[in-house]
């Protein structure tokens, strides 16, 4: 697994062993040394878990003793990058093993560690254990001078953080994280603002009304970066044709726009090939029309049903009487994230959330 080896391979693990050994004179760290030599064939997450467990085995005691040990590690500038992931995981495991759990000091330590490598995964078990205790501390991070800590406030509390465990209290009460986003949407850092947009987009899966309401408030008190942030935050709702999200971005219903297409160059396409098509738009009204143009491929599934997938075509401003033709080739090359089934598929155009011209074609195996 070259990708895992590059990030958390034997050399990185050996450097972690050396760093921990410098803070623990006389401790031979047997479990950590074994783990550092036993990473072959493991995924990145499995490597982190193995090393975290070894750290806990070699550094017994209560949470306070581990906290002191890891703060000594922070004094070592060589402790950075992916070797920090198992350190952050060990913090959370030991904190939650205490009675009562050492949630507050663990959050403070994770905030100190996150500039070396984000602790966005490690804070989630703490959030799940006691959201009420965690949120005031996380909210305080929005004023931190380090952009990595400010981003942790947003990224670590995302409802659907990729590759991370779900936090049921956040899924059940999505409005609880909005004050964090309110404090950060005008942050000076693009790194932070990108996280805010992704966080709000996560919420659109279950709470589109909350997302549109929040975005509207931000647009009412914007800075120069707010329109771009809101567009990114509303991207899923725009693809779904959500009328309020589209209207917020200036894309009104298309009563005076004629849509022709999609026009296919052929009725069949082979697996691995491309399907060319064209769409023609004409503004027949007396005012300019702001358009968000997508296309939807309805993929045939094994059970005979079809599942839609939306793809971006363009956004444009069409003057009165103006006519444009858009051309695109949709690829059916094999990819790891989708299985193609031969048979009848369909394609249609979506303009400002309204579907046009659903057309069938055959995918050949």
């Amino acid at each position: 697994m070259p990708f895992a080896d590059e990030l958390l391979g034997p050399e990185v693990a050996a450097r972690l062993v050396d760093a921990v050994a410098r803070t623990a004179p006389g401790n031979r760290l047997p479990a950590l040394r074994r783990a550092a030599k036993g990473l072959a064939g493991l995924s990145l997450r499995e490597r982190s878990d193995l090393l975290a467990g070894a750290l806990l085995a070699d550094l017994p005691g209560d949470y306070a003793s581990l906290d002191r040990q890891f703060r000594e590690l922070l004094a070592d500038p060589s402790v950075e990058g992916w070797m920090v992931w198992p350190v952050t995981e060990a913090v959370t495991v030991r904190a939650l093993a205490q009675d009562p759990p050492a949630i507050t000091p663990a959050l403070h330590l994770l905030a100190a560690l996150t500039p070396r490598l984000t602790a966005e995964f490690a804070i989630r078990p703490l959030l799940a254990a006691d959201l009420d205790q965690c949120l005031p501390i996380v909210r305080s991070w929005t004023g931190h001078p380090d952009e990595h800590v400010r981003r942790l406030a947003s990224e670590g509390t995302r409802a659907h953080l990729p590759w991370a465990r779900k936090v049921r209290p956040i899924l059940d009460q999505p409005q609880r994280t909005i004050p964090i986003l309110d404090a950060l949407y005008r942050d000076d850092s693009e790194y932070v603002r990108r996280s805010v947009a992704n966080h709000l987009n996560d919420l659109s899966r279950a709470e589109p009304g909350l997302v549109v309401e929040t975005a509207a408030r931000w647009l009412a008190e914007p800075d120069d970066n707010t329109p771009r942030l809101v567009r990114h935050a509303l991207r899923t709702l725009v693809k779904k044709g959500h009328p309020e999200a589209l209207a917020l971005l200036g894309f009104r219903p298309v009563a005076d726009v004629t849509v022709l297409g999609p026009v296919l160059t052929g009725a069949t396409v082979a697996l691995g090939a491309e399907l060319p098509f064209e769409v023609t738009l004409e503004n027949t009204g007396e005012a300019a029309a702001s358009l968000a143009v997508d296309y939807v491929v309805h993929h045939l599934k094994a059970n005979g049903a079809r599942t839609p997938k939306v793809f971006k075509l363009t956004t444009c401003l069409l003057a009165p009487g103006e006519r444009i033709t858009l051309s695109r080739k949709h690829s059916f090359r094999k990819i790891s994230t989708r299985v193609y089934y031969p048979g009848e598929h369909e394609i249609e155009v979506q303009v400002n959330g309204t579907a046009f011209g659903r057309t069938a074609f055959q995918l050949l195996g």
Side-chain angles (χ1 to χ4, degrees):
M1 298 178 64
F3 183 69
D5 277 341
E6 180 182 356
L7 299 178
L8 193 52
E11 291 185 7
V12 174
R15 287 193 281 114
L16 175 61
V17 171
D18 292 342
V20 175
R22 288 192 289 272
T23 69
N27 187 337
R28 297 190 58 81
L29 305 174
L32 189 59
R33 293 182 188 278
R34 283 195 303 273
K37 296 177 181 178
L39 303 176
L42 300 181
S43 69
L44 189 60
R45 162 59 79 173
E46 290 169 338
R47 293 172 185 224
S48 176
D49 289 346
L50 179 65
L51 292 168
L55 280 167
L56 293 168
D58 284 339
L59 303 173
D62 60 8
Y63 174 79
S65 65
L66 189 76
D67 193 295
R68 289 191 296 270
Q69 187 102 36
F70 284 173
R71 287 191 180 275
E72 286 187 46
L73 273 181
L74 277 168
D76 185 342
S78 72
V79 178
E80 62 177 357
W82 287 95
M83 73 166 72
V84 178
W85 190 9
V87 174
T88 61
E89 295 292 333
V91 169
T92 297
V93 172
R94 181 64 56 81
L96 291 176
Q98 294 289 110
D99 186 16
I103 290 176
T104 294
L107 286 172
H108 291 314
L109 180 54
L110 291 176
L113 285 164
T114 211
R116 306 293 181 91
L117 181 80
T118 178
E120 64 199 52
F121 300 121
I123 72 167
R124 294 177 76 81
L126 302 176
L127 295 167
D130 194 334
L131 190 64
D132 289 337
Q133 184 177 351
C134 290
L135 279 184
I137 297 170
V138 174
R139 173 67 175 80
S140 73
W141 294 343
T142 63
H144 199 279
D146 191 305
E147 66 174 355
H148 296 89
V149 180
R150 300 197 304 275
R151 177 184 177 274
L152 179 62
S154 169
E155 196 73 3
T157 56
R158 283 178 59 180
H160 300 286
L161 180 65
W163 307 298
R165 65 170 288 178
K166 301 301 183 187
V167 179
R168 177 49 57 185
I170 289 177
L171 294 174
D172 292 341
Q173 306 170 74
Q175 72 282 358
R176 299 280 305 270
T177 64
I178 295 297
I180 294 170
L181 306 186
D182 284 342
L184 292 173
Y185 79 90
R186 291 182 295 192
D187 196 273
D188 291 338
S189 169
E190 169 66 16
Y191 180 56
V192 175
R193 295 194 305 271
R194 188 80 171 180
S195 174
V196 170
N198 288 333
H199 187 137
L200 195 62
N201 183 63
D202 278 1
L203 298 182
S204 68
R205 295 192 191 184
E207 297 289 339
L210 175 64
V211 169
V212 171
E213 175 191 340
T214 302
R217 284 195 293 102
W218 293 354
L219 289 173
E221 297 185 52
D223 66 6
D224 292 343
N225 300 300
T226 303
R228 179 185 175 193
L229 183 154
V230 167
R231 286 195 300 272
H232 192 61
L234 298 183
R235 63 190 185 276
T236 296
L237 292 181
V238 167
K239 282 187 173 183
K240 290 181 177 179
H242 191 281
E244 293 179 6
L246 285 161
L248 195 59
L249 297 177
F251 300 115
R252 305 291 175 182
V254 291
D256 295 325
V257 174
T258 300
V259 180
L260 176 63
V263 177
L264 310 183
T265 59
T268 63
V269 59
L271 181 62
E274 295 179 326
L275 177 72
F277 65 92
E278 289 187 347
V279 179
T280 299
L281 307 171
E282 183 177 5
N283 183 0
T284 59
E286 298 180 354
S290 185
L291 305 179
V293 188
D294 303 317
Y295 69 97
V296 186
V297 178
H298 296 268
H299 296 99
L300 180 67
K301 309 306 290 183
N303 62 2
R306 291 185 179 85
T307 302
K309 173 68 175 177
V310 181
F311 300 89
K312 179 62 63 180
L313 256 178
T314 191
T315 58
C316 61
L317 183 66
L318 217 57
E322 185 177 0
R323 178 186 177 98
I324 62 169
T325 297
L326 306 171
S327 300
R328 175 65 61 90
K329 295 179 180 179
H330 182 79
S331 173
F332 283 93
R333 65 179 175 83
K334 293 182 179 180
I335 56 176
S336 60
T337 55
R338 182 174 296 116
V339 177
Y340 292 114
Y341 296 93
E344 187 176 86
H345 295 236
E346 294 176 324
I347 186 171
E348 66 185 348
V349 183
Q350 182 173 284
V351 182
N352 290 9
T354 301
F356 296 89
R358 188 155 171 166
T359 303
F361 63 92
Q362 293 288 325
L363 177 65
L364 307 177

